[in-house]
Each structure stands twice: as C-alpha cells, then as structure tokens.
Amino acid sequence: MTIFDLTGRTALVTGSSRGIGRGLATALAEAGARVVVHGRTPETARSTAREIAEATGATTLGLAFDVTDEGQVGAGIAELEERWGTPDILVNNAGMQKRAPIHEFSVADWEQLLATNLTSAFLISRAVAPGMTARGSGKIISIGSVQSRLARPGIAPYCATKGGVVMLSQGLCADLSPHGVQVNAIAPGYFATELTRPLVEDEEFSAWVTSRTPAGRWGQLEDLSGAVVFLASSASDFITGQTLYVDGGMTSVV
C-alpha cells in the first residue's frame, strides 16, 4: 500500500511531547516519516523524540518554541527549514482546555484559549505555506474536536476556538489547494489519554461518554493513527477542506 507510505517525508507535529500529539507523531514515524517532535521545553521535546525514535526506528528531532508567539514561530520554522527543509506535513495539534460558566470566564482565559488553540494554527500554517506552495506540495492537518460541532456547558470559548480550527482549515484550503497543498482537520471525540485520566476515572462522566458514543467506549490513541496517516499521505491528494470526525459516531446521533 505505497500510497500510505511516508518514507522520505518530514512531519512537524506541534504539542507532541505527550497525549494525542505524541500518538500522532508516533503514527507518522511508524509510516516512515521523519518526525519533528514539538514541546514546551527543549528537554521534553528531545526526550520524547528519542523515545519515538527508539520505538519506531524513525529519524526524529526535538524542537521547542512558543506556538502563540509570532517571533518564536518564525524562528522555529526557520531553524527547521535550515536543517530539514520545509516540512511536507504539518499537524497543528497544540491546544488546551479551560472550563467555567460563561459569566465566570475571564477575558485572560479566553485570550489564552484563543491564542493556544487557534492563533497558533494560523501562525504555523502561515509560516510553512511559502515553502509548501513553492514546492507545489504539502499537507496541513489541524486538530479540532467534537466540540467543533457540538457544545457542552462550561466550554463555550473552547467550542469557539475548535470551530475556528475547522473554518481556518476550509479557508486555508481555498488559499493553498490551488498550489498543491491539501488542508484538512481531524476532530477527535472523547479519548482516553494521560490528560483526560481524571474524566475517565470519573464513573458518572465516563458512563455518559460510553452511553453517548454509539461505539460504546472511549477512543484510544491508536484509533487516530489511520486518520492522520491517511490525511498525511498520497492517498488523500484529492481530499482538502474536509473535517474527519474520529468520534465513535458521537456527532452522528442525538
């Protein structure tokens, strides 16, 4: 199945030192890509990069910069391009969550969510776009959420940012697809990770997730592997501007 083979391609996955990002980076490495692991600190990024390399045999690089800072993003992408060239694959995964009723949500928390979840995807996509369009090829994959489409109490700002990720992907599709760059989004449902462990261990909430999800379970990191490899590979060269919901059916039922 050579159309899924990523050998010879370079992938940058933001926020990939742990959680879903690490799972996505590992899947791309297993498919043959050399992977840039991005984290908050150089030590964490390098450590995770080494672990992924040891587990998969892939070539990896650890890179750290603030995804919300225009100057740091520019410097980080410039460093990567000097060492490995413009990435063939960008996965905008860096994100965060904050919960509070809307009347208690501070402007500072709103701005932090917006910067981390949405502005970062804009900044990094903008930084790699010149190299991708000059080359005539590239894959940009941004991580949304079921909350790109469905809302729950206490997370209105998060929903807004994740909805923005989907529309940013469609806008980038309009700008970049004529130049050979495919831009899509993956919207995970409820996944069991180290970051969601408290929710998984909350019996009442976990029961709600499993009853609300037609597949009847939490998602596991490996459930995202096929989706990210597919959208990063030649198999999806005529797919752009789309959002792939990997949610066990949650967004399809009431």
Side-chain angles (χ1 to χ4, degrees):
M1 301 290 289
T2 56
I3 57 173
F4 297 101
D5 186 5
L6 301 181
T7 300
R9 302 189 193 186
T10 298
L12 165 62
V13 184
T14 66
S16 51
S17 61
R18 59 177 180 164
I20 285 177
R22 178 172 179 150
L24 298 173
T26 301
L28 295 171
E30 289 174 339
R34 59 178 183 178
V35 176
V36 182
V37 175
H38 168 268
R40 293 181 180 179
T41 64
E43 296 78 11
T44 303
R46 288 195 291 263
S47 174
T48 302
R50 284 194 300 269
E51 292 169 3
I52 292 176
E54 291 169 0
T56 65
T59 301
T60 63
L61 172 68
L63 199 60
F65 55 85
D66 184 347
V67 294
T68 70
D69 183 278
E70 181 179 4
Q72 288 197 38
V73 168
I77 297 303
E79 178 184 348
L80 172 57
E81 291 186 330
E82 183 177 351
R83 298 178 69 166
W84 283 3
T86 298
D88 302 280
I89 303 154
L90 166 64
V91 181
N92 288 309
N93 169 75
M96 67 180 303
Q97 171 68 291
K98 285 181 177 289
R99 297 177 175 87
I102 192 63
H103 58 281
E104 298 176 7
F105 218 98
S106 70
V107 172
D109 283 347
W110 160 264
E111 291 179 343
Q112 187 180 19
L113 270 178
L114 186 64
T116 304
N117 294 354
L118 185 55
T119 302
S120 66
F122 159 73
L123 290 174
I124 301 173
S125 298
R126 186 182 65 167
V128 303
M132 286 185 172
T133 56
R135 187 178 57 215
S137 66
K139 303 280 188 173
I140 298 177
I141 305 163
S142 295
I143 305 303
S145 166
V146 288
Q147 268 78 49
S148 297
R149 186 163 153 189
L150 302 175
R152 278 180 53 81
I155 58 169
Y158 178 82
C159 295
T161 63
K162 289 302 186 177
V165 165
V166 167
M167 289 310 301
L168 176 63
S169 298
Q170 291 184 214
L172 291 175
C173 161
D175 280 347
L176 302 180
S177 293
H179 304 282
V181 180
Q182 291 81 54
V183 187
N184 295 288
I186 295 174
Y190 285 86
F191 272 70
T193 70
E194 60 199 83
L195 299 179
T196 60
R197 184 175 296 116
L199 296 177
V200 176
E201 294 175 349
D202 182 325
E203 292 184 4
E204 182 178 354
F205 188 83
S206 196
W208 175 82
V209 169
T210 55
S211 65
R212 180 65 179 79
T213 305
R217 64 176 176 84
W218 286 77
Q220 303 297 320
L221 289 180
E222 54 268 24
D223 292 319
L224 290 169
S225 298
V228 73
V229 170
F230 168 61
L231 291 178
S233 72
S234 299
S236 61
D237 281 353
F238 200 55
I239 297 173
T240 189
Q242 304 303 307
T243 299
L244 176 57
Y245 284 85
V246 185
D247 64 357
M250 178 175 278
T251 52
S252 297
V253 301
V254 295

